[in-house]
Amino acid sequence: KQFIIDVLHPGRPNVSKGELKEKLAVTYDVKEQSGIFLFGFRTQFGGGKSTGFGLIYDDLKAAKQFEPKYRLIRNGLDKKVEKSRKMKKERRNRARAIRGKKKNSSSKK
């Protein structure tokens, strides 16, 4: 299921996604809360109302197949791979050097 969710919260700055997940799990009879993805919330000017987007997956397999990696990491379904900035740059530069050459010639370098 996918939906746009409007949350009324007068007197509060905003509502936590965890709190919203609990309410949605009860409302839509969802077994696993990790299959609920909430994102893109914007608080209306003046406060009191927020609008966001939500997805509910039937099972975790479907969620892992269709959700982007960063949202899986946010929901705790995947681990973030820690790479240093230097490591990323070195890898990119090695790939640039190899691009457009035959496979065996790149190994002679």
Side-chain angles (χ1 to χ4, degrees):
K1 295 179 189 98
Q2 65 180 17
F3 49 87
I4 293 174
I5 182 169
D6 286 328
V7 184
L8 298 173
H9 48 88
R12 290 178 68 180
N14 56 20
V15 184
S16 72
K17 289 180 188 156
E19 204 174 312
L20 291 173
K21 277 186 186 184
E22 289 171 12
K23 292 214 175 173
L24 288 169
V26 172
T27 307
Y28 291 104
D29 194 35
V30 179
K31 295 172 190 80
E32 298 177 33
Q33 282 190 21
S34 54
I36 301 173
F37 291 81
L38 301 172
F39 55 94
F41 278 85
R42 303 289 294 163
T43 305
Q44 197 177 47
F45 181 74
K49 182 181 178 185
S50 297
T51 304
F53 196 77
L55 297 163
I56 298 176
Y57 289 96
D58 296 328
D59 56 352
L60 292 179
K61 185 181 173 201
K64 286 186 177 186
Q65 183 182 356
F66 295 112
E67 277 299 300
K69 195 162 178 97
Y70 75 94
R71 281 205 294 248
L72 290 173
I73 292 168
R74 282 183 190 172
N75 255 31
L77 295 178
D78 210 345
K79 296 278 186 259
K80 185 176 183 186
V81 179
E82 294 292 331
K83 289 184 186 174
S84 68
R85 180 182 169 95
K86 186 169 184 171
M87 194 184 299
K88 288 178 189 172
K89 286 186 170 200
E90 286 174 354
R91 183 167 184 221
R92 184 189 68 209
N93 289 335
R94 276 198 299 271
R96 275 190 188 154
I98 294 170
R99 182 176 163 83
K101 294 184 181 178
K102 289 184 181 177
K103 283 186 178 179
N104 59 3
S105 66
S106 64
S107 61
K108 291 179 183 176
K109 206 176 179 189

